Amino acid sequence: MIHHPPMARIHPPALAPLLHTALALCLACAAYGQTLPLTPPPGHRSDIRWLETAGPLAMNGFAADPSRGALYVSVHNLVYLRDATGTRVAFQLPVGEQVGVMAVMPGNATLLYTSYQTRRVYLRDLVSGRTTGVAGLDNAFDVAFTARGDVLMAANPDWPKPGARPGVWLLDTAQGQHREIIQLSGASGPLVVLDNGDLLCSLAPATFPPPSGGTSLVRFTSTDVARAIQGPTPLTLAQAQTVLAQLDGASDLALDDRARIWITDAYRGGVRRTQPGTFTLEATDFVPSSALTTVTLQFVPGDAATFDAWQPTSAGQMLVWTSDWLTTAEVRELAPQRPELSAAPGNTVPPGPAALVLSGGPPSGIAWVGVSPLPRKPSEYPLFTAGGVAAWFALDFLVPPTVFALRLDATGSSRLAFTNPGSGSRSVPVQCLAVDTTGAFGTSNPLVLVLQ
């Protein structure tokens, strides 16, 4: 969800430890072998939204502004803006500084960011460009926002003094009078606010890298968090409930549109997530570990379609900062990818043989092609929902369509041959429903054939 330099996660006080940490990460990642792409499971795609050309350590983080389709990327002391009009420098910090934490505040067109070197917290109005700043916290790690707009920051201000410990602070963005509301232990970790207002915090031992299975997630209820925000007594781990244990690491946390918690691990790579609305991890990692480590996350909501396999491309996206710390740093976009329906030789079909072609569907799955006698609907709608996932159709089922079954090959492809008798020009809407071997399903794009 939030974005910060990967080296800041161990709170280095000076440049030399930064370089030493970078070298350690490089050597660790080199052991994995050649860099691999961030490969999601079938029914999803992985695209590069930003490829950093200045070197893998030049990029500091990113933040997306969903309401404007904009992506902010911090490189050295510059912050770039990429949107539909192109890429340009949005603003910059003084030479020698870099962004530490960066996030777009929900609902108010404001970019919050910090200077890693000076600790200052800045608020930048994304419409006017006006920027205000206050004193911040040393060793800030992550930031989260409550539904009422409170800004919560995870930090360890006293590190590396003996006895230093992390905590969560309520940021005063007007006067800089920040107040600790939660006392934690170990190393600083990411935060995420759940839909019901509960706050999740990561707990990990204060060692680098964290030992396998040594990280956990704890939950503070919305009621307790609200009471702590009102003050004056901070919460402690005695008020927390451990909801997920024995994680290898948790570099960042994000929540998607079906209340799944996504987890990255900068030390071992990969992306994990829980089952919808639970604290139970899915049986397999969403993205397995590879030479590309995963740092920060941000979920960008889409339309009514959910972030699930084979769903419409208008669904949400999960942005992930990845790097191998040797040659590449990227912002990658993970998103659903629906099966693609096309016609051969084309959508305008002359008399004679032709075919419907389904590609990019569930490997070895099954598809049903519906051919409707009625005009297509002006927009897709959810015909039915199963397991929280909708089947989106543009076919009009007032008159049931004629249905043909297809068995897909190992690439998720199939063809349905037909003959246009040429007995009159007419438009025929068609669409597919595809199901994979696990029962996950989705529909293809709607297609209108013009039979000549």
Side-chain angles (χ1 to χ4, degrees):
M1 174 180 176
I2 309 304
H3 318 287
H4 24 222
M7 311 317 168
R9 299 177 178 280
I10 59 166
H11 313 303
L15 180 61
L18 278 175
L19 297 177
H20 294 162
T21 303
L23 178 60
L25 285 170
C26 289
L27 293 175
C29 292
Y32 282 105
Q34 186 176 2
T35 298
L36 299 174
L38 195 73
T39 304
H44 301 82
R45 58 180 174 81
S46 173
D47 299 318
I48 296 177
R49 286 279 298 274
W50 182 278
L51 177 61
E52 184 48 55
T53 58
L57 300 180
M59 181 176 158
N60 306 317
F62 75 93
D65 179 7
S67 63
R68 292 165 179 77
L71 179 68
Y72 293 87
V73 181
S74 172
V75 179
H76 294 308
N77 67 313
L78 303 176
V79 176
Y80 291 92
L81 166 61
R82 175 170 289 176
D83 59 16
T85 65
T87 302
R88 57 198 178 276
V89 174
F91 61 92
Q92 63 186 71
L93 294 174
V95 175
E97 293 186 30
Q98 62 180 359
V99 169
V101 175
M102 182 165 62
V104 174
M105 299 176 66
N108 63 359
T110 300
L111 181 69
L112 181 149
Y113 63 97
T114 67
S115 167
Y116 180 67
Q117 283 72 20
T118 69
R119 308 178 307 281
R120 286 188 68 80
V121 176
Y122 296 96
L123 297 178
R124 182 178 180 85
D125 187 299
L126 297 178
V127 177
S128 67
R130 180 176 178 267
T131 303
T132 58
V134 296
L137 296 166
D138 274 330
N139 303 315
F141 186 91
D142 200 1
V143 65
F145 307 100
T146 68
R148 52 175 265 173
D150 301 305
V151 183
L152 308 181
M153 178 170 281
N156 192 334
D158 292 332
W159 190 90
K161 297 177 183 177
R165 57 159 184 76
V168 178
W169 272 257
L170 174 67
L171 285 196
D172 176 3
T173 56
Q175 304 295 328
Q177 300 299 312
H178 316 307
R179 178 167 56 85
E180 187 178 24
I181 63 167
I182 301 177
Q183 298 175 353
L184 299 174
S185 65
S188 288
L191 310 172
V192 68
V193 176
L194 303 183
D195 289 338
N196 64 358
D198 291 355
L199 178 68
L200 294 190
C201 306
S202 170
L203 293 183
T207 56
F208 171 76
S212 179
T215 300
S216 61
L217 300 185
V218 297
R219 176 180 62 177
F220 294 90
T221 68
S222 59
T223 301
D224 285 344
V225 172
R227 184 172 63 249
I229 288 174
Q230 294 301 314
T233 305
L235 301 173
T236 68
L237 288 174
Q239 283 85 46
Q241 174 193 10
T242 299
V243 295
L244 201 53
Q246 296 184 328
L247 297 171
D248 290 339
S251 304
D252 204 8
L253 304 172
L255 192 71
D256 71 9
D257 53 4
R258 293 188 63 205
R260 286 172 292 211
I261 302 161
W262 294 62
I263 307 168
T264 56
D265 182 350
Y267 305 105
R268 299 169 183 85
V271 179
R272 310 181 77 180
R273 69 179 186 183
T274 64
Q275 297 173 12
T278 74
F279 299 113
T280 302
L281 288 170
E282 293 182 336
T284 57
D285 292 356
F286 186 81
V287 174
S289 298
S290 75
L292 273 186
T293 63
T294 53
V295 189
T296 57
L297 295 164
Q298 182 178 347
F299 181 67
V300 179
D303 62 10
T306 58
F307 192 110
D308 288 284
W310 319 114
Q311 292 301 293
T313 54
S314 57
Q317 310 155 3
M318 186 65 73
L319 301 182
V320 189
W321 173 10
T322 69
S323 183
D324 64 357
W325 311 121
L326 294 168
T327 60
T328 183
E330 307 158 349
V331 178
R332 283 187 174 252
E333 175 187 298
L334 302 176
Q337 179 168 304
R338 76 189 314 188
E340 182 177 354
L341 185 63
S342 60
N347 294 356
T348 300
V349 184
L356 287 171
V357 180
L358 185 67
S359 60
S364 304
I366 299 175
W368 291 270
V369 181
V371 182
S372 177
L374 300 178
R376 63 155 288 176
K377 294 280 192 177
S379 59
E380 292 188 270
Y381 63 96
L383 180 65
F384 65 86
T385 300
V389 181
W392 294 88
F393 279 97
L395 300 183
D396 189 337
F397 282 80
L398 183 62
V399 175
T402 302
V403 177
F404 301 89
L406 298 176
R407 190 163 292 279
L408 309 184
D409 64 18
T411 68
S413 301
S414 189
R415 292 171 65 92
L416 176 63
F418 66 95
T419 299
N420 176 14
S423 56
S425 180
R426 57 197 173 104
S427 297
V428 180
V430 294
Q431 196 168 7
C432 287
L433 172 67
V435 181
D436 72 11
T437 55
T438 70
F441 63 87
T443 58
S444 72
N445 54 296
L447 186 68
V448 177
L449 299 179
V450 179
L451 302 180
Q452 296 182 330

